[in-house]
Amino acid sequence: MKMPLYSFDKVVRYVIPAAEKPTENPLKGWAPWISEEEVNYPVSLIFVRMHWREIEPEEGVYCFEELEKKLHMDFWRTKGVRFILRIVCDTPGRESHMDIPQWLYEKTYGDGTWYDCSYGKGYSPNYSNPVMIEEHRELLHALGEYYAGDLQLGFVELGSLGHWGEWHVNSSAGIPGFPKAEIYNQYVEAYLDVFPSSKLLLRRPVAIAGERGLGLYNDSFGVTSHEEWLSWIANGYVSGQSQEEIAGMPEFWKVAPSGGEFATTYEEAYYVSEGYEETLAYIKNSHTTFLGPRSGAGVEDAELAEAVRNMNAELGYCFRLKEATWTKKVWFPNYLLKLQIENLGVAPFYENWPMLVQIRNEEGQIVFSEEYEVSPEKWLPGESTVKILMKDLTLVTGTYTIEAGMVDPLTDRPGIAFANEPVGETEFLYKVMEFTIR
């Protein structure tokens, strides 16, 4: 391919060879329970549940650092893994217990319900209590301050309300009904005050989630109830918890993630064996980015390893560089690089990571290197075009290669695998163009 430097507009087009889909990538895929040990499969996300009583055992005293060590988050930080965080106020258990702090129980004068039912035993606080609401807001401010700028905080699920943070209560156990929008919106606003909406997910569609661009998660993924969840999203529903009529959120996944975890109806192995096709269809229909903590990462059967990796590859985004166009205008010292990128996945990438573009001469030396904002969060499934104007670039006679890759802010190096062959042994950097200046 020849491109005379001193002529009218010259254009070089280069078709970029494709490769198989990568099986793993940042901020997508399986998200198993956090532990002190490696799991069966490589993961980029780990699920972390924090109970309020653990975070703030004394009023105004927050134990994030100690709790991270207790939960082995320090171990996973060294692996470069990102966290899905859920704050929970009520996890049913085998023994009677309370998941809010003792001081809060006393401050709200025990305004809640002790229960013993099919879910287990525990204490359900009165979420409408004004003291509970205000103290929860203070908790979220502390949470936001501690994790401000933390590049390993991937997503935050708005637990806080209901059993397991799933936004429902068992009224048959004598627990008062779930609060209505005027109450739960205050909890949502507390999260929005400290986290970007693109990082936040709710258990079910509600009006404020649609208005503010939040994601959704389903903790009963892959059985009949998932179809009901999808119908809520597509068509809206009347909440069996708050008795409110709620509009759907059919396009929520375009701006914030869809997540969840495998339902407990079957063992994890079922979803990647007999239930593989059905589960894969749900992933596509839900535009699912991650599944956990109950997920394919919990499958121990070695014969299912390939199926687990294949399904992991289908979650979330998957980028492929298709074609590059390199244009030089004789009257201006600028070059225009246009990239055709295809998202083979089911969802966007929800972060605005920059793209590194570098040029090598025929001796392999880097003669140009620059990072550009390319808005990957807008690359929906299908094709997108990226235009990069490279200003005041001077290239002498010779043959050149252009390489590109998405820079992970955690490492400050390219960190996303594309469905293309990487440059030599360089991970996450891809050849997009070769041209000659004569």
Side-chain angles (χ1 to χ4, degrees):
M1 298 180 186
K2 310 298 182 183
M3 189 173 76
L5 182 60
Y6 300 104
S7 65
F8 292 102
D9 292 3
K10 291 297 179 179
V11 179
V12 176
R13 287 186 175 84
Y14 189 89
V15 177
I16 305 167
E20 294 184 358
K21 284 185 177 181
T23 57
E24 58 196 78
N25 249 324
L27 291 163
K28 57 165 282 183
W30 306 132
W33 282 106
I34 195 163
S35 70
E36 59 183 334
E37 299 177 350
E38 297 278 7
V39 293
N40 294 328
Y41 304 94
V43 295
S44 70
L45 291 166
I46 287 287
F47 183 87
V48 183
R49 180 179 64 192
M50 291 182 176
H51 291 104
W52 191 343
R53 62 177 167 81
E54 301 173 300
I55 301 172
E56 192 183 6
E58 299 177 41
E59 185 174 1
V61 178
Y62 302 101
C63 300
F64 291 113
E65 188 172 346
E66 297 90 334
L67 185 54
E68 282 209 359
K69 290 180 180 178
K70 176 183 175 182
L71 296 174
H72 315 296
M73 291 174 71
D74 53 345
F75 168 80
W76 287 101
R77 283 189 182 278
T78 65
K79 305 292 183 183
V81 169
R82 289 171 166 86
F83 306 112
I84 298 172
L85 182 63
R86 187 190 298 186
I87 306 299
V88 180
C89 298
D90 172 18
T91 297
R94 295 182 179 179
E95 304 294 333
S96 183
H97 70 289
M98 187 167 57
D99 291 310
I100 63 169
Q102 180 66 31
W103 64 264
L104 181 60
Y105 177 78
E106 295 171 359
K107 197 167 183 176
T108 56
Y109 298 98
D111 187 11
T113 307
W114 292 94
Y115 61 84
D116 181 353
C117 62
S118 58
Y119 290 3
K121 301 177 182 179
Y123 177 79
S124 177
N126 177 5
Y127 299 107
S128 300
N129 185 292
V131 175
M132 174 83 178
I133 294 170
E134 181 55 34
E135 292 299 338
H136 178 268
R137 185 174 294 279
E138 291 298 318
L139 171 71
L140 264 293
H141 283 159
L143 186 77
E145 183 176 343
Y146 185 82
Y147 287 103
D150 189 342
L151 296 176
Q152 288 186 258
L153 182 65
F155 303 112
V156 179
E157 295 183 347
L158 278 72
S160 298
L161 302 178
H163 308 302
W164 302 285
E166 292 186 354
W167 280 54
H168 65 83
V169 295
N170 186 355
S171 57
S172 66
I175 301 172
F178 195 79
K180 295 184 182 296
E182 62 180 327
I183 298 299
Y184 63 65
N185 281 354
Q186 296 180 63
Y187 287 86
V188 177
E189 290 285 1
Y191 280 93
L192 284 165
D193 284 346
V194 296
F195 295 113
S197 58
S198 62
K199 284 190 176 293
L200 300 176
L201 299 90
L202 270 173
R203 176 63 177 86
R204 62 188 73 237
V206 295
I208 192 172
E211 294 163 2
R212 303 292 292 275
L214 276 67
L216 298 172
Y217 65 91
N218 182 16
D219 283 349
S220 187
F221 191 101
V223 291
T224 304
S225 60
H226 189 69
E227 294 178 3
E228 180 182 30
W229 188 74
L230 286 173
S231 74
W232 294 347
I233 294 168
N235 307 311
Y237 65 109
V238 175
S239 171
Q241 287 289 308
S242 64
Q243 315 308 317
E244 297 166 300
E245 186 171 342
I246 298 172
M249 295 171 53
E251 297 191 332
F252 80 94
W253 60 273
K254 293 183 178 180
V255 294
S258 173
E261 70 168 327
F262 287 157
T264 56
T265 309
Y266 303 102
E267 294 297 322
E268 291 99 322
Y270 166 83
Y271 297 99
V272 294
S273 54
E274 304 102 294
Y276 187 96
E277 293 301 328
E278 179 185 40
T279 305
L280 187 59
Y282 283 145
I283 287 172
K284 293 178 179 179
N285 292 337
S286 306
H287 301 279
T288 309
T289 285
F290 68 83
L291 287 171
R294 203 167 185 271
S295 72
V299 176
E300 298 180 356
D301 189 341
E303 294 183 359
L304 295 175
E306 183 177 359
V308 171
R309 289 192 174 91
N310 288 342
M311 186 174 287
N312 192 51
E314 298 299 325
L315 288 159
Y317 65 93
C318 177
F319 300 142
R320 182 177 74 184
L321 294 160
K322 292 190 68 178
E323 185 177 287
T325 304
W326 180 240
T327 305
K328 173 67 172 72
K329 293 181 178 292
V330 67
W331 307 115
F332 300 98
N334 302 333
Y335 288 76
L336 177 64
L337 176 63
K338 186 165 71 172
L339 299 174
Q340 201 70 23
I341 297 174
E342 184 176 12
N343 185 350
L344 302 169
V346 299
F349 177 67
Y350 298 99
E351 298 283 340
N352 186 21
W353 289 6
M355 176 177 281
L356 171 68
V357 178
Q358 62 185 33
I359 301 177
R360 293 182 188 270
N361 61 20
E362 47 199 312
E363 286 77 37
Q365 299 168 322
I366 297 175
V367 297
F368 176 85
S369 182
E370 189 70 54
E371 292 182 10
Y372 296 92
E373 295 294 324
V374 293
S375 301
E377 73 277 11
K378 297 180 181 178
W379 301 348
L380 298 177
E383 293 191 5
S384 298
T385 301
V386 173
K387 295 180 180 180
I388 297 174
L389 184 63
M390 304 168 75
K391 298 181 178 180
D392 300 319
L393 174 61
T394 301
L395 297 174
V396 299
T397 299
T399 298
Y400 297 90
T401 301
I402 303 178
E403 303 166 349
M406 302 302 298
V407 177
D408 184 341
L410 188 61
T411 62
D412 204 30
R413 299 193 304 271
I416 289 182
F418 280 64
N420 300 96
E421 291 294 340
V423 176
E425 296 181 357
T426 306
E427 281 192 305
F428 313 129
L429 200 59
Y430 302 90
K431 177 180 175 180
V432 298
M433 171 71 68
E434 182 179 301
F435 64 94
T436 300
I437 294 178
R438 301 177 67 174

